[in-house]
Amino acid sequence: MIRPVFLTFLALATLCAAGVATAQPYPNRPLRLVIPFPPGGATDIIGRILAQKLGPALGQNMLVENKPGAGGAIGSDTVAKSAPDGYTILIGTSSTHSVGPALGVKLPYDAVRDFAPVVHLSDAPRVLVVSSTLPFKNVSELIAATRARPGAYNYSSSGVGTTVQLSAEAFKLAAKIDLTHIPYKGTALAFTDLATGQVALMFDSIVSVQPSLKSGKVRALGVTSARRSQLMPDVPTMVEAGVPGLIDETYFGLWAPAGTPPAVIAKLNAETNRILQGAEMKEQLAQQGALPVGGTAQEFAGRIASETVKWSRVVREAGIRPE
């Protein structure tokens, strides 16, 4: 017969063991970083660079998993529905958390309610390029020509509602000009027609346009960052080129599921900020045309909100309706 005293001791021992388990410092097992886009793109590259450094900094392995589809919604939803314990985190972008909501796209998650912002990783501007078959040497000449012939010049994009289209529409609104949109299924075909002069201009990432710039098929007129890019220091910003207020930088960041403990968010934030200050990380981001940002989780939440407001205005004023 088991004595009551023994049962009491056993219960206390079990509670103590559970207490020790729950008191183990975070993290005590491998983490998973979900990338909601296919391998090879900027989000994938930046995510893998970070994972190689963040895992060791936390004393654990960090497993990287690509879950592409639906413009980043599938992978993002995976994280939104994961346990809020800090072991599954997302690297997302303006597309997943500001542009999608601004477009009114039906998403399987709420970009604000279902996530806890962790840290703003980096910003990457776009560059305005024109076909080399056209005579424009600067943004002022391009604007003058479009105002002289409203709607006669067109721009290409990788599809309706993409960030590439939104950048061009933001330019139209800021410069008060009229351009005709020619959407393509992806940037490869868009660049082909741009190079041959069938399309006048396009906005895209600095890294994406490099091959066409080197071949001389397109000409860079301006970058959409607040300051000039290290990858093309001779190209002025759009503000320098005479388009006031046109700053358009894609943000990259980390999110955890809503309800993740503040102490866990603080740990991830602190370690990531430390990594972003390293010379190696800065160099690797620069190769992607991106600049490290960092800061608090609250500051990142503010950036997300302001970008959503900005793109909502562009979508509304340009009359964009995603397909």
Side-chain angles (χ1 to χ4, degrees):
M1 180 177 178
I2 300 176
R3 296 179 179 277
V5 173
F6 177 76
L7 290 173
T8 301
F9 175 79
L10 183 62
L12 288 171
T14 301
L15 287 171
C16 289
V20 170
T22 56
Q24 287 183 329
Y26 168 85
N28 54 53
R29 55 187 170 86
L31 294 87
R32 178 173 63 147
L33 177 66
V34 175
I35 301 174
F37 299 104
T43 311
D44 178 69
I45 293 170
I46 292 172
R48 290 177 183 277
I49 291 171
L50 177 68
Q52 290 174 359
K53 295 173 171 56
L54 185 56
L58 294 168
Q60 294 291 336
N61 290 329
M62 178 165 279
L63 310 176
V64 177
E65 181 180 357
N66 291 88
K67 290 187 74 68
I74 291 176
S76 298
D77 189 48
T78 297
V79 176
K81 291 178 171 56
S82 296
D85 54 12
Y87 287 93
T88 299
I89 56 178
L90 171 77
I91 176 169
T93 70
S94 307
S95 293
T96 56
H97 282 72
S98 286
V99 172
L103 285 165
V105 175
K106 187 176 181 181
L107 298 169
Y109 58 84
D110 185 294
V112 176
R113 184 191 61 221
D114 295 338
F115 293 90
V118 175
V119 65
H120 186 170
L121 292 175
S122 62
D123 282 332
R126 301 188 194 284
V127 58
L128 166 60
V129 290
V130 296
S131 173
S132 293
T133 62
L134 298 175
F136 313 127
K137 298 297 190 296
N138 54 56
V139 175
S140 295
E141 291 179 359
L142 171 63
I143 290 175
T146 57
R147 285 178 177 168
R149 300 176 61 197
Y153 293 93
N154 52 27
Y155 74 89
S156 59
S157 81
S158 50
V160 174
T162 60
T163 54
V164 175
Q165 184 200 5
L166 264 63
S167 292
E169 291 296 334
F171 171 52
K172 285 174 55 178
L173 292 170
K176 296 180 175 59
I177 57 175
D178 184 19
L179 297 168
T180 300
H181 179 212
I182 309 295
Y184 291 78
K185 292 184 178 180
T187 56
L189 290 174
F191 264 113
T192 298
D193 282 2
L194 180 68
T196 59
Q198 295 182 60
V199 176
L201 62 97
M202 183 178 180
F203 282 83
D204 206 354
S205 74
I206 291 175
V207 174
S208 295
V209 304
Q210 289 297 326
S212 296
L213 285 172
K214 290 177 180 177
S215 69
K217 293 178 180 178
V218 301
R219 185 182 305 115
L221 300 188
V223 292
T224 61
S225 49
R227 58 185 185 272
R228 296 193 184 197
S229 168
Q230 291 177 268
L231 294 183
M232 44 179 61
D234 296 331
V235 178
T237 68
M238 294 299 288
V239 174
E240 289 176 325
V243 187
L246 185 57
I247 298 175
D248 168 19
E249 297 175 298
T250 295
Y251 65 72
F252 298 83
L254 292 183
W255 284 262
T260 300
V264 170
I265 298 293
K267 176 87 169 178
L268 290 168
N269 178 277
E271 291 299 336
T272 304
N273 268 298
R274 186 182 61 78
I275 291 167
L276 290 173
Q277 296 307 309
E280 183 181 14
M281 188 66 180
K282 289 180 179 179
E283 176 59 30
Q284 289 175 318
L285 286 174
Q287 292 172 8
Q288 301 305 312
L291 291 171
V293 180
T296 68
Q298 292 73 24
E299 288 170 337
F300 184 33
R303 172 63 184 276
I304 296 165
S306 65
E307 287 287 301
T308 304
V309 169
K310 179 179 78 173
W311 291 122
S312 295
R313 181 186 66 82
V314 171
V315 168
R316 182 176 63 255
E317 295 186 12
I320 298 173
R321 293 178 177 80
E323 297 174 336

